[in-house]
Amino acid sequence: MRKRIRIELKPEEMPKQWYNVKADLPFKLDPPLDPETNEPISGEKLARIFPLGVLEQEVSTDRFISIPEEVLDEYVVFRPTPLIRATKLEEILETPAKIYYKYEGVSPTGSHKTNTALAQAYLNAREGVKTLVTETGAGQWGSALAYAASKFGMTVKAFMVRASYESKPMRKYMITLFGGDVVASPSEETASGRKFLQDNGNYSGSLGIAISEAIDRVLESNSTKYSLGSVLDHVLLHQTIIGLEIRKQLELADEKASIVIGCHGGGSNFGGTVLPFVVERLEEEKVRLIAAEPTACPTLTRGEYRYDSGDSAGFTPLLKMYTLGREFIPPSIHAGGLRYHGASPLVSRLLSEGIIEAQAFEQEEIMKAGRLFASVEGIIPAPESSHAIAATIREAEDARQKNTKETIVFTLSGHGLLDLAAYG
Ligand SMILES: *Cc1c(COP(=O)(O)O)cnc(C)c1O
């Protein structure tokens, strides 16, 4: 029998800085463009929707950015998160590979999203913002931001994709519990919401539509700012605490990762997990970095690499990214958090440069992987996270067939306790 291992860091061993991979990349990213002029977007325009503290981080090229004390103080509630060896999964797969998972489900709202929510809430509160407006798909981001905003004396207004608002009420209750206000999108509350309702008769909504409504609302008022839970560089920056902790934990266990895996929606947990491994990848070409996405929303594996809008109405800056087109409305799958037409520009560029890989998975395969993981390891994974598990199982089976000694690390981005209906 293999030994059960859990690698913990003490609160005082938590990283005190986020890692900015842009300082180490041998290329410069393509800038976001103004949708009205097709020229690089001006700082003044962005400052209408984001606070300066966030914008500074978005464009920074410093290698390390200090995590504010106030944010570290809130991270201590659930960080550092554990790195656990999935020995029971290894045994049942009869694989020679070692499998470790970084468990982000211990966060107060159940996923990695709290890492950036707390950072963004603090940066907004510092500049006097009272309400954060945002979109949320299945509600993971809305609940994380409502939680974080409440820590810094703010509230949240969340436009929630109607399909989830109606079918998954639990996170709606969580947003309200933390003092937030949540409305089904498309809504009657914004001009773009009313337009979508009229033009398309589309009542089920999408993330792209909800983003349009959130930005619409932010532009109406001065005491509100917009907050995005994924995709942008500063969000991935905040999530690097995941990969930085993994590196420390592997060192403690005297291990070296050969394959690092994360599920991919907009790219924040994947980016946060793998960006701290990119330098190693550039130098030795040994460690493989794999993004796992659904075949129902195959942005990285089937999308085009081009400039596209982040939302459906075309309000956001144009981002150079893999995209299925801003009008793409993915079928409703259990992994609601992976239903986004675009991808992080940073992850997109790494993919186009061959630095990372992407794989797509059918829902049947990921739910099977999630059930197996729950039954042998004991933690019920979110359907989103199960994409990373499915990718891990494929690599572990490959290692068995080729009899290679891999050390696989994946991020279990959230628990599935609010997704039990999907398991049903
Ligand atoms: C939102 C979410 C994701 C996908 O978002 P990314 O920005 O790609 O990380 C993955 N897993 C869970 C549990 C989520 O809540």
Side-chain angles (χ1 to χ4, degrees), residues 217-389:
R217 169 56 66 88
V218 167
L219 292 175
E220 283 169 10
S221 153
N222 282 330
S223 64
T224 61
K225 292 280 183 215
Y226 173 66
S227 183
L228 193 64
S230 188
V231 180
L232 298 180
D233 296 1
H234 67 272
V235 183
L236 273 65
L237 173 79
H238 300 151
Q239 295 294 355
T240 58
I241 192 156
I242 301 174
L244 292 170
E245 285 183 5
I246 293 175
R247 292 197 68 107
K248 278 193 164 189
Q249 287 163 312
L250 288 175
E251 217 169 281
L252 279 179
D254 210 10
E255 295 279 18
K256 206 161 165 25
S258 59
I259 303 176
V260 185
I261 297 172
C263 67
H264 186 279
S268 75
N269 91 89
F270 174 71
T273 301
V274 308
L275 295 181
F277 289 89
V278 162
V279 167
E280 196 178 312
R281 163 84 199 174
L282 288 171
E283 284 168 359
E284 303 173 35
E285 293 262 324
K286 279 196 192 118
V287 60
R288 289 173 58 208
L289 310 174
I290 304 173
E293 67 179 7
T295 49
C297 190
T299 315
L300 297 177
T301 51
R302 307 282 299 274
E304 288 175 35
Y305 187 44
R306 62 173 168 88
Y307 272 103
D308 195 12
S309 173
D311 67 324
S312 302
F315 293 156
T316 71
L318 301 172
L319 303 173
K320 181 82 178 282
M321 60 184 178
Y322 280 91
T323 175
L324 297 163
R326 69 178 165 119
E327 272 141 28
F328 180 77
I329 297 186
S332 40
I333 49 174
H334 295 312
L338 306 187
R339 292 174 73 242
Y340 181 59
H341 70 272
S344 137
L346 208 38
V347 168
S348 296
R349 181 68 183 267
L350 294 176
L351 180 64
S352 80
E353 298 279 343
I355 296 169
I356 64 155
E357 310 164 36
Q359 295 172 8
F361 296 83
E362 295 287 344
Q363 177 156 276
E364 209 177 290
E365 182 173 351
I366 71 101
M367 289 308 291
K368 193 172 155 217
R371 283 198 305 272
L372 176 68
F373 189 84
S375 66
V376 296
E377 287 294 322
I379 291 173
I380 300 172
E384 289 85 354
S385 315
S386 295
H387 288 73
I389 299 172

Side-chain angles (χ1 to χ4, degrees), residues 118-156:
L118 285 165
Q120 293 191 44
Y122 170 74
L123 292 170
N124 276 279
R126 207 179 55 178
E127 292 178 31
V129 176
K130 297 285 178 254
T131 306
L132 286 173
V133 185
T134 196
E135 73 290 332
T136 187
Q140 290 105 321
W141 173 240
S143 50
L145 194 65
Y147 166 81
S150 73
K151 296 287 162 223
F152 295 104
M154 289 183 293
T155 58
V156 157

